[in-house]
Amino acid sequence: MIIHLAQIRDDGYRVDEPLSRETLDALLKGDGYDTGFHALDAGRFTAELRRVGTGVLVKGEVEARLGAPCRRCLADVTLPLKVPFSVSLVKAQRV
C-alpha cells in the first residue's frame, strides 16, 4: 500500500484494511525464523495518518487471531492479538 503525502488532508487519512492469513503467516515467518504461530483467520490493519509539521504521525493497531501448539500437551492454543502502534515518519536528511 502506498499513500502519497497529498492524500493526507487536514482531518487526516484513515486506513482500514484486511490482512489475509497468507500475509500474516508470511510475517510470522519473516527473517527465516519460525515463531511457531500461525494465523487462524484473516486479521485487520487500521491506522490514522496525520501531518505533523513536515512529517507524518501514524497511529493504529493490528488485530489477528493466532494459534500455536502448546509445548506441554500439543493442543492448539488460540491467542487473540491486538497490537497498538504509533510511528512518526520524517523525511531523511541528506548528509
Side-chain angles (χ1 to χ4, degrees):
M1 168 189 324
I2 296 174
I3 300 169
H4 296 278
L5 197 56
Q7 292 176 271
I8 305 172
R9 300 175 192 236
D10 291 340
D11 59 344
Y13 185 89
R14 185 125 176 91
V15 178
D16 188 352
E17 294 288 328
L19 294 172
S20 70
R21 285 179 66 183
E22 295 79 17
T23 298
L24 289 168
D25 284 337
L27 292 169
L28 290 166
K29 293 179 180 158
D31 295 332
Y33 178 75
D34 187 358
T35 63
F37 287 96
H38 59 275
L40 296 175
D41 43 36
R44 191 127 216 110
F45 171 85
T46 56
E48 184 162 335
L49 291 76
R50 292 198 174 272
R51 286 185 182 207
V52 179
T54 59
V56 175
L57 177 63
V58 183
K59 292 176 90 171
E61 67 184 22
V62 174
E63 291 184 72
R65 276 185 351 109
L66 306 181
C70 172
R71 291 189 178 185
R72 185 175 50 88
C73 68
L74 299 179
D76 213 22
V77 176
T78 300
L79 173 67
L81 188 67
K82 191 173 189 176
V83 180
F85 65 88
S86 180
V87 179
S88 183
L89 305 173
V90 294
K91 186 175 181 178
Q93 294 183 358
R94 294 189 176 161
V95 178

